[in-house]
Amino acid sequence: MEITAPLGLRDKKRAETRAKLERAAVELVLREGLAHATVDAISEAADVSSRTFFNYFDSKEDAVLGIHDLELTEEAVTEHLRKNDGAGLVESIVKLLFWVIGPSITTTDLHALRMQVVKAHPELLSRHVTQMTRMADQLTAAIQTLLASDPEFAADPVQTRSASADMLLTICSGGVRVAVKEWVTEGSTVSSDPATTDQLEQRAIELVREVTKKIQ
């Protein structure tokens, strides 16, 4: 979904610093435990100041998971629509949400270590809920754009589409949360499997469809 462009020197340095902080956070938790992996300790291990840490993450938990908010620009949403042309609405929304939380489940070399932490501390997954709440306005606006392209919702008044977008965000984000929770609880291993995100997306879609079908 991202529209890629060559990174400038400043962007490269920011990406490197973020990666250092993420690795330091994960390794410290594994070595010292979650309680002892403080922001100060993570910053010291990454050789940056605590003030710099908060330029990248809101909390140590976000650094462990690799969570950072993405800007859902009009161009990004348009690209998402193009890439998912023909997809059902639930499928499209779930894929959008997985793009937002993607860093914590991508198959980098840090991923296996991160999953060890998440399996030991499943409460960390609540940070995804916090992130989606923080990004609710952006996500709702993006979903409204998706609804405007869906024949079932396109003719609805703007206010009605806005309410529908809020409801769909709640339902689909719940499906994503449960799918990831199941994956962690069941002890799935995904250290280098590129199909993992697809599997989680399909499970989330399945969960949403199963529940909504039963309550109709």
Side-chain angles (χ1 to χ4, degrees), residues 146-172:
L146 302 184
L147 294 181
S149 300
D150 187 283
E152 295 291 335
F153 295 90
D156 288 347
V158 173
Q159 186 174 0
T160 301
R161 280 209 305 269
S162 177
S164 297
D166 282 334
M167 288 295 298
L168 285 163
L169 173 59
T170 300
I171 294 168
C172 292

Side-chain angles (χ1 to χ4, degrees), residues 22-147:
E22 289 183 19
R23 181 169 292 279
V26 171
E27 291 179 347
L28 270 171
V29 173
L30 288 173
R31 187 169 64 248
E32 306 289 344
L34 185 60
H36 295 289
T38 63
V39 168
D40 286 342
I42 293 169
S43 302
E44 183 179 352
D47 197 26
V48 302
S49 68
S50 298
R51 182 176 179 180
T52 297
F53 175 96
F54 288 109
N55 288 334
Y56 293 86
F57 300 103
D58 287 344
S59 68
K60 70 179 185 182
E61 291 83 1
D62 286 0
V64 170
L65 292 174
I67 286 177
H68 58 97
D69 294 352
L70 303 171
E71 186 179 0
L72 293 176
T73 62
E74 183 178 345
E75 291 79 7
V77 176
T78 299
E79 179 69 3
H80 176 73
L81 281 168
R82 185 189 67 78
K83 286 187 175 181
N84 294 282
D85 183 35
L89 188 57
V90 169
E91 181 180 353
S92 186
I93 294 172
V94 166
K95 287 180 178 293
L96 176 69
L97 295 176
F98 269 102
W99 178 69
V100 169
I101 70 170
S104 64
I105 57 171
T106 49
T107 55
T108 65
D109 64 332
L110 183 60
H111 178 69
L113 298 179
R114 177 173 279 143
M115 287 302 96
Q116 290 181 40
V117 173
V118 172
K119 288 170 185 176
H121 302 279
E123 68 274 14
L124 287 170
L125 294 176
S126 66
R127 295 303 299 177
H128 287 313
V129 178
T130 301
Q131 181 190 26
M132 289 184 188
T133 300
R134 194 168 57 234
M135 293 184 64
D137 288 345
Q138 284 193 66
L139 288 166
T140 299
I143 293 171
Q144 286 187 62
T145 300
L146 302 184
L147 294 181

Side-chain angles (χ1 to χ4, degrees), residues 164-205:
S164 297
D166 282 334
M167 288 295 298
L168 285 163
L169 173 59
T170 300
I171 294 168
C172 292
S173 60
V176 169
R177 182 180 62 81
V178 173
V180 175
K181 183 179 178 181
E182 285 182 349
W183 167 56
V184 172
T185 302
E186 292 168 3
S188 301
T189 56
V190 288
S191 57
S192 61
D193 182 1
T196 297
T197 301
D198 288 342
Q199 293 167 357
L200 286 171
E201 285 177 356
Q202 289 307 309
R203 178 54 180 156
I205 292 165

